[in-house]
Amino acid sequence: MSDRRPVPLVAVSAVVTLVSVVGVYVLWRVFVDTFAGQSVDQAAIEGAAYGQTQLWRVAEKVLDVVSVGFIAAVLLAAVVIAVVRRRWELAVQAAVVMIGANLTTRVLKQYVFERPELGVPGGYGNTLPSGHTTAAASISVVLMLVVPPRVRPWAAALGALYTTATGVSTLIGRWHRPSDVVAAVLVVLAWTAATCALAVLVPRWGNPVDRPGVPRATRATLVSLVAVGVVAGVVAAVALSATWSRVPDVTSRSDLLTAYLGGAAGTAAAACLAFAVMLGLRHAAASGLPRT
């Protein structure tokens, strides 16, 4: 096998990593470090109070799944799958993504980002990025990384669904603001993209790569995730723009519910689009793409 490197894929992965890192900072700068941003985020939290009793019965069960023990169990399972498939580099990649993403979120939340007091209610300190959402997204990603190609599209779709459910559940429980959730997804995306770039630069120890081309199931999943992500993104943009335009008078029931809808839609958009990108990078890294 030629030792030439897939430069385009490495470059794309590097760009995705950089954009994700910048995106986390922009989310903090806009929604945490400004009065208008804090007001919009807080409106989504207050809007979540409507219907919370019924929704929390489901959301609490979703959030209860996430724990240190569960994260460790999933990581162990991912490593075992990779070892059984004799894909040692995937075991390392899964560990790096899981540990790196969750540690990054903890460091950013506790030691890097601060939430200034700008007169917006609910100022209980910085909560960006969301730890629960980071855990859910990283759990989903490491499984997508290590499973066989035929299962990978299903793992990506279920991962996007589980990450969305967890993110929205933190909003329903009023644990996290929408910007916290989207930032968490971007943290996981950054680590996944970075490790995909590294994965194509290390030897595969003689193990075969995926067949060239994009399988029908992978293509269908990519299209579906992007379509859902774009639609949800448009809904989020319209709803949050309407909320932003009414700052500081975001007090009516309709205003709060609009912000709530925008936050939930933004969560779904971030999860779907991120998993589409990660599925694409994972497939590209594993397939026999033309090498330059």
Side-chain angles (χ1 to χ4, degrees):
M1 180 182 295
S2 171
D3 191 45
R4 291 174 294 172
R5 303 303 190 216
V7 176
L9 179 55
V10 173
V12 170
S13 298
V15 169
V16 171
T17 302
L18 179 61
V19 170
S20 300
V21 170
V22 172
V24 172
Y25 172 77
V26 170
L27 283 168
W28 172 81
R29 182 68 182 84
V30 172
F31 288 98
V32 180
D33 202 36
T34 68
F35 174 79
Q38 284 193 11
S39 299
V40 171
D41 248 3
Q42 187 61 30
I45 286 286
E46 293 178 8
Y50 295 102
Q52 184 184 37
T53 302
Q54 292 76 15
L55 292 174
W56 181 242
R57 294 173 184 172
V58 177
E60 187 176 19
K61 294 178 181 178
V62 173
L63 295 176
D64 283 345
V65 173
V66 178
S67 66
V68 174
F70 183 60
I71 293 173
V74 171
L75 177 57
L76 178 60
V79 170
V80 169
I81 293 172
V83 170
V84 169
R85 295 185 62 208
R86 294 186 297 172
R87 296 298 302 274
W88 314 103
E89 77 279 8
L90 293 182
V92 175
Q93 186 178 2
V96 170
V97 170
M98 179 76 83
I99 296 172
N102 286 280
L103 183 59
T104 297
T105 285
R106 185 176 182 83
V107 170
L108 289 177
K109 183 189 299 186
Q110 296 190 357
Y111 303 109
V112 177
F113 293 145
E114 295 182 353
R115 183 179 181 85
E117 293 290 342
L118 301 176
V120 177
Y124 43 82
N126 177 61
T127 55
L128 183 147
S130 162
H132 274 75
T133 307
T134 300
S138 60
I139 285 168
S140 303
V141 168
V142 298
L143 291 176
M144 185 193 73
L145 292 174
V146 301
V147 296
R150 64 181 179 277
V151 185
R152 198 179 297 147
W154 294 100
L158 291 175
L161 179 61
Y162 176 51
T163 301
T164 299
T166 301
V168 173
S169 293
T170 66
L171 183 57
I172 291 172
R174 306 175 78 183
W175 291 7
H176 280 287
R177 306 170 179 91
S179 61
D180 302 345
V181 175
V182 177
V185 173
L186 290 179
V187 168
V188 176
L189 176 58
W191 276 99
T192 304
T195 57
C196 281
L198 293 176
V200 299
L201 295 175
V202 299
R204 296 182 182 274
W205 298 313
N207 289 304
V209 297
D210 294 358
R211 294 179 179 179
V214 182
R216 182 179 302 175
T218 299
R219 188 183 305 113
T221 302
L222 286 170
V223 171
S224 299
L225 287 173
V226 171
V228 173
V230 169
V231 171
V234 171
V235 172
V238 171
L240 294 178
S241 294
T243 305
W244 192 288
S245 68
R246 293 186 58 80
V247 171
D249 299 318
V250 188
T251 55
S252 70
R253 178 189 176 99
S254 61
D255 289 339
L256 299 179
L257 287 175
T258 297
Y260 182 24
L261 171 63
T267 296
C272 289
L273 293 176
F275 272 87
V277 172
M278 292 185 289
L279 175 60
L281 291 176
R282 175 67 186 94
H283 175 75
S287 63
L289 294 176
R291 299 174 184 266
T292 59

